[in-house]
Amino acid sequence: MIAATSCVRIAPSILSADFRRLGEQLAMCEAGGADCVHVDVMDGRFVPNVTFGAKVIEAARQSTSLPLDVHLMVVEPEKYFDDFAAAGATGLTIHAEVAPHLHRQLSRIRELGCRAGVAINPATPIAAVSEVVADLDLLLVMSVNPGFGGQEFIAHSVDKLRRARLMLAESKSKAWLEVDGGINRDTIGDVWQAGADTFVAGHAIFAAADPKGEIEALRARCRVIV
Ligand code: DX5
Ligand code: ZN
């Protein structure tokens, strides 16, 4: 039996934020009790969308003291490590699908003083990271196909998270188990029960009438119902 963890980290994704007032929105996340800020970098190659890079990471860094959890949906992610670390990223998460030298890449991220993460797409087996578990500070299980905010949660992700939690537990890994995509009031309870401890939410938080309250509502869903 795999227990849900008592640790719940809510990570608002600024992909859905209003960029005209990013500073204000980050302050609101902080006031709402967010644990970190998720920054989605897309290059139009690994995913069919383009977002932002070091300048926005730097702007976010200057606007909040929360950790910046940077998710690189890009090919050749190592090209950006130095710039993103210098811009203030706390963690860098790269995709296993485009990282043939995961061990070396994760080591480099740690050398730069950042937490090292690997993300896997819905179609990528957990086994893709099984040989580098000891090198992971974070494992990100995508619960949508990356590229856009506001997509529908893929239900199979719950079982995948359960297996990912088992793998981390068997390796005595302290890596965070993060889930990203389609997380909202209806889906967060199941993924928490499955063993996720870090929850990315973009649309659910930033499209809410009260984003601050939404962070609290999401956290409140992570509890055992008796
Ligand atoms: C998807 C991104 C997600 C996205 C989550 O490619 O990695 O972080 O912003 O957005 P929601 O919560 O709207 O599904
Ligand atoms: Zn993301």
Side-chain angles (χ1 to χ4, degrees):
M1 164 81 188
I2 307 149
T5 72
S6 55
C7 186
V8 174
R9 297 181 201 92
I10 306 288
S13 164
I14 60 167
L15 186 61
S16 296
D18 178 350
F19 277 84
R20 288 168 302 177
R21 43 192 195 98
L22 182 62
E24 218 178 284
Q25 299 227 304
L26 289 174
M28 188 186 56
C29 290
E30 208 164 332
D35 298 277
C36 48
V37 171
H38 188 80
V39 183
D40 285 311
V41 177
M42 305 185 190
D43 67 352
R45 293 179 65 200
F46 178 60
V47 290
N49 195 7
V50 178
T51 57
F52 33 71
K55 289 297 280 183
V56 168
I57 296 171
E58 205 177 296
R61 181 68 295 151
Q62 287 162 1
S63 310
T64 179
S65 57
L66 290 174
L68 297 181
D69 168 36
V70 180
H71 177 191
L72 286 82
M73 287 162 276
V74 305
V75 298
E76 300 175 303
E78 61 280 355
K79 280 187 178 169
Y80 305 94
F81 291 171
D82 290 61
D83 283 357
F84 287 5
T90 311
L92 298 176
T93 298
I94 59 177
H95 268 265
E97 298 83 4
V98 283
H101 307 292
L102 264 184
H103 181 266
R104 183 163 66 210
Q105 288 158 305
L106 293 170
S107 303
R108 179 63 187 147
I109 292 173
R110 281 180 164 178
E111 261 171 35
L112 289 166
C114 294
R115 291 174 53 81
V118 174
I120 50 174
N121 279 341
T124 302
I126 296 163
V129 297
S130 62
E131 300 300 329
V132 290
V133 176
D135 307 295
L136 287 182
D137 295 309
L138 179 146
L139 172 59
L140 168 52
V141 173
M142 291 304 302
S143 42
V144 296
N145 289 294
F148 302 93
Q151 301 184 75
E152 195 178 333
F153 178 79
I154 297 173
H156 177 72
S157 317
V158 176
D159 182 59
K160 192 173 183 184
L161 282 159
R162 213 171 275 133
R163 287 179 281 116
R165 171 53 70 196
L166 194 59
M167 180 189 71
L168 294 177
E170 280 172 359
S171 312
K172 299 193 171 24
S173 165
K174 292 196 166 42
W176 297 1
L177 180 56
E178 183 171 58
V179 57
D180 184 0
I183 298 301
N184 56 37
R185 291 184 191 205
D186 297 330
T187 54
I188 195 167
D190 287 347
V191 291
W192 172 72
Q193 287 279 2
D197 54 27
T198 306
F199 307 88
V200 177
H203 185 77
I205 292 175
F206 289 105
D210 171 18
K212 198 164 158 269
E214 198 58 31
I215 293 173
E216 288 158 16
L218 290 172
R219 192 186 303 283
R221 293 285 195 284
C222 302
R223 61 189 160 84
V224 182
I225 315 265
V226 282

